[in-house]
Amino acid sequence: LDWIDSTQLKTFILNAQDEEGGGIADRPGDVSDVFHTFFGVCGLSLLGFTQDEEGGYEGLTKVDPVYALPVHTLQRMGLPVWRD
């Protein structure tokens, strides 16, 4: 994803975290919700900030962009994976 500034997007997502109650909001300062938390976490994964990448986050695993599920879950289910 060369046309996305992954560092700026990561900063935006992390700034939208609710550090007290948990979750991610649609923008910094708003109330977090399940929808934006799910897509924020998926976004961080797809941008390459997973635990197996340098500078990644512990516990964050790769997400398949087609199914929006963790890659290890698709592998366990025997479903095709878009990326390893």
Side-chain angles (χ1 to χ4, degrees):
L1 299 174
D2 296 334
W3 49 275
I4 293 176
D5 184 338
S6 61
T7 302
Q8 287 284 33
L9 183 53
K10 176 186 87 166
T11 299
F12 180 84
I13 293 169
L14 296 178
N15 285 338
Q17 286 184 100
D18 179 345
E19 294 184 19
E20 294 177 15
I24 299 171
D26 62 337
R27 62 183 59 90
D30 281 2
V31 177
S32 64
D33 58 69
V34 173
F35 179 82
H36 290 95
T37 299
F38 174 76
F39 285 107
V41 169
C42 287
L44 290 172
S45 173
L46 293 171
L47 290 169
F49 296 105
T50 57
Q51 64 186 1
D52 55 339
E53 300 291 334
E54 185 177 331
Y57 296 101
E58 184 178 339
L60 183 60
T61 61
K62 290 183 179 181
V63 171
D64 182 271
V66 174
Y67 291 101
L69 291 171
V71 168
H72 64 84
T73 299
L74 295 177
Q75 291 169 334
R76 188 180 71 233
M77 296 172 67
L79 294 171
V81 175
W82 179 261
R83 69 179 215 187
D84 290 326

